[in-house]
Amino acid sequence: MKKPRFSNAIGNLDDDLVEAAAECKRKEKPNFWLKWGSVAACFAVVAVAVTFILPSLSDVGKVPGGEKTPNANEGRYKEFLVTEDTLAIMWPWDYLSESERYYELMLDGVKFTKNGGRTISEEFVGEKIGTYSIVGYDHVTEERHTVDADVYLIDNVNKDEFVAVKLSDKFYSYKKEEYNPPNTLGELFENVDLSKLTSLERFSEDDGGADSKYYKLTNDDYIWEVLSDCDEATFIEENGLNWSKYDRNYISFTVTANALGVYKHVLTITEDGYLDTNVFNWGYLFYIGEDAANKIIEYAREHSEEAEFEPYEQSIFGKVTSFTDEYVLIDDSSLCNDPSEGIVYKVPLNDIRISRYFETSHIKEGEYVKVVYEGEIDAQTNTITFAQTIADVNITFDSGKEDETLELGSEETVTHTTSSKAANFQIPE
């Protein structure tokens, strides 16, 4: 049986990182929903591993003002790193959003699970398949919940791989749970026609390294033509194969496919003929040959222009100064080289994914937080309308001191770890 690939980088973690994750202490919080305490440390280690896997698509170590951030805020911020403190919260059912509650579907005897929590546009939704029971679990009370929902085809996608489910007037992508990689690249494109679902607009070289360069492609039609001629390219089973793109010369395309709920995943082409991608959450590797690979790489280099670094997610950092039933105020002046240049952001509490942290006192006044958002910040009121997540964080300033850890909230807090989302890979059981 083929085994899913997570990452061959996981075995190369520095011992210091592992020890730091193991020794990290969580602040005292209400604990009736905080299960799996030991999982937090394990997940932190996995999260650190992901920073090695996807450095060009993650803002880990690239927080505003950090040394690794290209053109970040023109020096407005001090140099600092961030450690998230909310990796393993198990929220009660009443504190879950609709997108977090129902995540399992049985369709004709095949198990599908929600492919992340991103909504997909109705323009990608095809014919209705039927109405089915969608299952969710309350991990605090260990209760099972079901809801009937309409299930639809997704255009240009085989229903054996992905389907769309309508929950509360929004559509979500559900993916077949079983790991069953295609035998060839042609078979992959027959199941999911990526050429019609995404554009290969941005790519990078030397992923995340000191000499990283980022580009925007003018047109990707030729690349899809070359890949369509590689329909016989075989899937490479990596069991026992110590394969890594970092040992090779390559370019990595950013892939966002809204129809699949996929956001900023990666498709890599190496000069020695490999195509490596995590677009389908599992790591898929194909051998397309050196000729095809170099056609793609040369075309991309000749038909693109240099672009600025684009982080995996948009986020702001600051200290909670006050909150009401309607909004929270977050001030970043203590992070600025000149505090007078600080900004007070206003975040509405009309989304349960944000408000639950304040309703339960998990986040309090005076604590540093990170807010991930989409869209634009209102220039007049500094309101973040589309906040997605909020997390209490530890802020690390470069104070020139070593091994000195102060209380959270001090403007000279010193810690030693960073964390990241690990959403782009499935962890095998």
Side-chain angles (χ1 to χ4, degrees):
M1 177 180 177
K2 293 178 178 178
K3 295 182 179 179
R5 173 169 59 92
F6 172 55
S7 166
N8 53 26
I10 191 72
N12 297 326
L13 289 176
D14 291 341
D15 291 340
D16 290 344
L17 291 176
V18 176
E19 289 181 13
E23 293 174 2
C24 183
K25 293 184 179 179
R26 183 177 298 277
K27 292 179 293 181
E28 291 185 4
K29 299 288 181 180
N31 61 8
F32 69 92
W33 55 71
L34 292 180
K35 289 193 171 185
W36 299 353
S38 61
V39 172
C42 296
F43 192 82
V45 175
V46 173
V48 172
V50 176
T51 70
F52 295 116
I53 299 165
L54 299 177
S56 66
L57 299 183
S58 171
D59 62 350
V60 175
K62 299 184 174 71
V63 293
E67 291 182 339
K68 298 181 182 179
T69 308
N71 305 317
N73 295 282
E74 299 180 352
R76 189 169 77 90
Y77 285 116
K78 302 174 184 177
E79 293 183 4
F80 65 89
L81 295 177
V82 178
T83 305
E84 292 188 21
D85 200 38
T86 53
L87 287 174
I89 297 178
M90 304 300 293
W91 294 101
W93 189 257
D94 290 343
Y95 283 98
L96 296 178
S97 66
E98 188 77 357
S99 66
E100 294 170 323
R101 286 180 171 178
Y102 299 101
Y103 56 84
E104 184 178 302
L105 160 70
M106 291 298 295
L107 181 62
D108 299 330
V110 178
K111 185 177 179 180
F112 286 72
T113 53
K114 185 177 290 179
N115 194 39
R118 302 180 67 84
T119 59
I120 64 176
S121 173
E122 191 169 354
E123 67 179 288
F124 301 114
V125 177
E127 178 184 347
K128 179 179 175 180
I129 299 174
T131 302
Y132 295 82
S133 291
I134 315 298
V135 178
Y137 296 93
D138 184 339
H139 290 283
V140 175
T141 64
E142 299 183 350
E143 292 181 284
R144 183 176 186 268
H145 298 261
T146 62
V147 64
D148 290 336
D150 294 334
V151 179
Y152 297 81
L153 297 175
I154 299 176
D155 292 338
N156 301 302
V157 177
N158 187 327
K159 72 178 182 67
D160 294 333
E161 300 295 330
F162 290 87
V163 294
V165 175
K166 190 175 184 181
L167 295 171
S168 298
D169 297 323
K170 295 180 180 179
F171 291 94
Y172 298 90
S173 167
Y174 282 64
K175 183 184 185 298
K176 180 177 67 176
E177 184 181 63
E178 180 186 2
Y179 176 74
N180 186 25
N183 294 311
T184 64
L185 188 61
E187 184 180 324
L188 174 66
F189 289 159
E190 284 180 7
N191 288 329
V192 181
D193 190 347
L194 285 179
S195 67
K196 296 179 180 177
L197 298 177
T198 187
S199 296
L200 302 177
E201 293 182 352
R202 294 181 62 91
F203 69 93
S204 64
E205 294 192 74
D206 189 28
D207 269 344
D211 299 321
S212 296
K213 292 185 178 180
Y214 306 90
Y215 300 89
K216 187 170 183 179
L217 196 64
T218 55
N219 189 295
D220 66 353
D221 290 345
Y222 177 74
I223 293 176
W224 291 116
E225 289 177 13
V226 174
L227 291 177
S228 68
D229 290 336
C230 300
D231 56 328
E232 296 299 321
T234 55
F235 174 81
I236 306 297
E237 180 57 56
E238 293 188 60
N239 294 342
L241 178 64
N242 189 24
W243 190 92
S244 171
K245 67 181 182 182
Y246 300 109
D247 300 330
R248 296 164 163 80
N249 294 321
Y250 63 91
I251 64 173
S252 288
F253 293 99
T254 302
V255 178
T256 292
N258 292 324
L260 308 178
V262 169
Y263 179 71
K264 290 189 177 179
H265 287 198
V266 181
L267 188 150
T268 296
I269 305 293
T270 70
E271 285 186 354
D272 59 344
Y274 290 92
L275 181 154
D276 184 40
T277 184
N278 68 337
V279 170
F280 305 95
N281 292 334
W282 307 111
Y284 285 174
L285 180 68
F286 298 88
Y287 183 71
I288 63 175
E290 292 185 19
D291 182 57
N294 283 282
K295 283 181 180 178
I296 292 172
I297 293 172
E298 290 173 10
Y299 177 86
R301 289 172 175 165
E302 293 174 2
H303 296 82
S304 62
E305 56 185 27
E306 197 160 347
E308 292 185 359
F309 168 77
E310 186 177 90
Y312 177 83
E313 59 189 20
Q314 298 183 96
S315 58
I316 62 102
F317 299 85
K319 187 180 294 186
V320 174
T321 57
S322 65
F323 60 88
T324 69
D325 291 339
E326 298 180 353
Y327 61 85
V328 56
L329 298 181
I330 299 168
D331 184 356
D332 73 354
S333 60
S334 63
L335 305 178
C336 296
N337 287 311
D338 182 353
S340 67
E341 295 182 358
I343 297 174
V344 178
Y345 297 97
K346 183 177 182 179
V347 181
L349 296 180
N350 55 3
D351 189 320
I352 189 66
R353 294 175 300 175
I354 308 298
S355 62
R356 61 193 178 191
Y357 288 91
F358 299 94
E359 291 178 11
T360 61
S361 297
H362 190 84
I363 294 177
K364 302 174 183 178
E365 288 186 20
E367 294 185 339
Y368 282 111
V369 295
K370 170 186 176 181
V371 177
V372 176
Y373 67 94
E374 290 191 346
E376 300 294 329
I377 297 176
D378 187 289
Q380 300 299 317
T381 63
N382 296 321
T383 298
I384 300 176
T385 304
F386 301 106
Q388 293 183 308
T389 64
I390 189 169
D392 53 340
V393 298
N394 294 319
I395 297 293
T396 303
F397 292 96
D398 183 7
S399 64
K401 303 174 183 179
E402 296 181 358
D403 300 323
E404 180 179 354
T405 302
L406 304 179
E407 293 298 319
L408 181 69
S410 166
E411 295 192 6
E412 293 185 356
T413 302
V414 178
T415 54
H416 299 282
T417 58
T418 59
S419 61
S420 168
K421 296 178 10 175
N424 289 345
F425 289 84
Q426 294 281 358
I427 302 175
E429 295 180 356

